[in-house]
Amino acid sequence: MTCTSALVSAESAFGVLRLPRTILVGAGQRRSVGMLARDFGKAALICTDSRLAKSDVIAEIVSDLQSEGLSTEVFSDTEPELPLSGISSCVDRLRGRHFDVVIGVGGGSCIDMAKVVALMLTHGGSPRDYFGEFAVPGPVMPIIAVPTTSGTGSEATAIAVVGDLERGMKMGISSPYMIPVAAVCDPTLTLSCPSSLTSATGADALVHLVESYTAVVRERTTQLPHERVFIGASPLTGSIALEGVRLVGRSLVAAYREPGNLAARGDMMLAALYGGISLSNAGTAAAHALQYPIGALTHTSHGLGVGLLLPYVMRYNFPAIQPQLARIAETLGCDTVGADVPDAAREAVLAIDQILADIDIPPTLADIGVQEDDLPRIAELSLNSKRLIDNNPVKLDIDGLYEIVRAAFVGDYSFRG
């Protein structure tokens, strides 16, 4: 079968690609951090967490920086899901200190901490001052991102996501100024990830790739890249997302079941990077909007939440994204010979269902502690993530959001349309 994506034609050729200035990928590339940082000055701040702060990885990076003539401070109290109080604690501790570059080492929370701290040290104020798109007034202190998981893609994104406990959900700071100047993607850093973390981060990468590839297609205007950080799906990000999907299909289950499989780990680090690039330019949609209040309610990880929701979101959006899903089926190697586009699209959804099941993502919201009485409030809070709601390929209102979470609560795998 030949599947033709609705996104790919000479007439529709259009795209925006905002990226780190330097991307280094490969085993051992973490040893390049000192050489990258020396271009920005003589004082480096590392943002990491308490576990990594005691590791040989941080010791090696500190030694590398010092050998290049940089003084180094390590902030090791980054918390999961990045609550605003933790950011304030870091900035208060560093007030009056001078740094030339901020280095985030760890998972998405550590890299996002580096982004927000760089923003605060440059422009001051509160993180809340910068929620939304294009609220950052100018360049921030240079950021180098060194991921130790393969999921968030934060090393390549224009967004930092923080936990606002007063609002009961996560909020985003979205600006091209937040993109790290350098991303150092060394898959050997992921070899020690436990299976549960590999599962959650791998699911996160998969959702980034699928949601960015199937996002809304907006009118191509000269104003669009200046009005929105996330412009919706385009052929430029679509080709990157499809390659990421191929890598996930080939290697996520292997990385989960065989933690020492460096080839699989390498594929997943690339897939996460491609997911970050895709989401940073196209944007994500309903699964992410819904996960923010669900994560706050259940204290479950972001990757687990979006992975659980993806099958239901794909089914809700199914009438609008069949050509894209058919292309995903082809990319995943599904047997679609002789199938029409709707049938091929269903094969893609079923294949993604199987990947998520194989890495033990729970199938329903009830499995992670959501109660039926919580569903209306989850739908209501999701509307706060306007950029994500607007990016969904099917127009969403509170009734549509409730339909998705209700299906995810009871395990209703029916296809719309």
Side-chain angles (χ1 to χ4, degrees):
M1 185 201 75
T2 301
C3 296
T4 303
S5 171
L7 301 180
V8 181
S9 72
E11 183 179 351
S12 67
F14 172 86
V16 175
L17 210 55
R18 303 179 177 112
L19 298 166
R21 189 169 75 194
T22 301
I23 298 175
L24 299 177
V25 177
Q29 287 299 322
R30 65 181 181 275
R31 299 182 185 93
S32 300
V33 171
M35 288 181 282
L36 290 168
R38 70 186 180 191
D39 291 340
F40 303 109
K42 294 294 185 182
L45 169 67
I46 295 175
C47 292
T48 191
D49 59 33
S50 57
R51 182 187 66 83
L52 276 168
K54 302 181 185 74
S55 70
D56 292 341
V57 171
I58 294 297
E60 184 179 72
I61 290 174
V62 168
S63 176
D64 184 29
L65 290 164
Q66 292 174 345
S67 71
E68 296 292 342
L70 284 87
S71 63
T72 306
E73 174 86 10
V74 178
F75 177 82
S76 61
D77 292 335
T78 302
E79 300 172 69
E81 312 303 331
L82 209 56
L84 289 177
S85 58
I87 297 168
S88 298
S89 174
C90 177
V91 173
D92 289 346
R93 189 182 308 181
L94 300 171
R95 202 174 302 280
R97 303 280 302 280
H98 171 78
F99 298 99
D100 299 304
V101 59
V102 183
I103 303 166
V105 183
S109 293
C110 292
I111 294 174
D112 283 358
M113 173 66 95
K115 291 179 179 181
V116 181
V117 168
L119 169 61
M120 296 295 97
L121 293 179
T122 305
H123 295 293
S126 161
R128 288 194 178 101
D129 298 333
Y130 306 102
F131 286 172
E133 294 187 86
F134 290 118
V136 178
V140 305
M141 191 177 299
I143 304 153
I144 297 173
V146 187
T148 61
T149 64
S150 296
T152 69
S154 185
E155 65 271 13
T157 69
I159 184 169
V161 179
V162 304
D164 190 331
L165 297 182
E166 289 184 17
R167 300 187 188 212
M169 62 185 298
K170 290 182 177 180
M171 299 297 294
I173 300 171
S174 307
S175 167
Y177 293 126
M178 300 293 281
I179 300 172
V181 295
V184 180
C185 303
D186 183 341
T188 63
L189 295 177
T190 70
L191 289 171
S192 62
C193 287
S195 59
S196 59
L197 184 58
T198 299
S199 171
T201 55
D204 195 19
L206 176 58
V207 179
H208 292 161
L209 294 159
V210 172
E211 284 209 305
S212 61
Y213 185 63
T214 60
V216 68
V217 179
R218 293 192 171 89
E219 181 183 359
R220 278 62 166 121
T221 68
T222 55
Q223 292 80 25
L224 180 59
H226 308 284
E227 294 170 345
R228 293 181 180 272
V229 175
F230 310 103
I231 68 160
S234 76
L236 193 57
T237 52
S239 60
I240 296 168
L242 280 177
E243 174 59 12
V245 167
R246 185 184 72 82
L247 293 169
V248 169
R250 183 170 78 180
S251 292
L252 175 52
V253 176
Y256 176 65
R257 293 177 176 171
E258 307 164 33
N261 186 330
L262 185 57
R265 293 290 192 180
D267 275 358
M268 285 309 302
M269 181 147 274
L270 268 182
L273 174 67
Y274 293 162
I277 292 170
S278 300
L279 82 87
S280 186
N281 293 280
T284 51
H288 278 71
L290 288 163
Q291 189 282 328
Y292 289 161
I294 289 169
L297 175 68
T298 62
H299 305 290
T300 50
S301 74
H302 172 78
L304 183 148
V306 292
L308 187 160
L309 289 162
L310 181 62
Y312 303 100
V313 170
M314 289 189 296
R315 286 166 168 83
Y316 182 86
N317 291 332
F318 189 76
I321 60 173
Q322 291 177 18
Q324 294 94 321
L325 288 173
R327 187 66 181 275
I328 288 173
E330 186 179 14
T331 300
L332 288 173
C334 299
D335 182 6
T336 55
V337 175
D340 59 14
V341 168
D343 285 344
R346 286 187 181 87
E347 288 300 315
V349 175
L350 296 175
I352 290 169
D353 289 347
Q354 189 61 56
I355 291 170
L356 294 168
D358 286 345
I359 60 170
D360 295 320
I361 295 297
T364 73
L365 291 177
D367 292 323
I368 61 171
V370 173
Q371 303 298 312
E372 189 168 7
D373 290 348
D374 297 325
L375 301 181
R377 182 61 173 160
I378 290 169
E380 181 183 356
L381 286 173
S382 299
L383 290 171
N384 289 333
S385 298
K386 187 176 186 303
R387 65 175 177 83
L388 300 171
I389 299 298
D390 289 348
N391 221 40
N392 201 66
V394 173
K395 186 174 177 60
L396 275 175
D397 57 18
I398 194 165
D399 292 334
L401 290 162
Y402 181 81
E403 182 178 334
I404 295 170
V405 292
R406 176 67 187 172
F409 180 76
V410 302
D412 180 359
Y413 285 103
S414 302
F415 285 84
R416 285 182 86 229

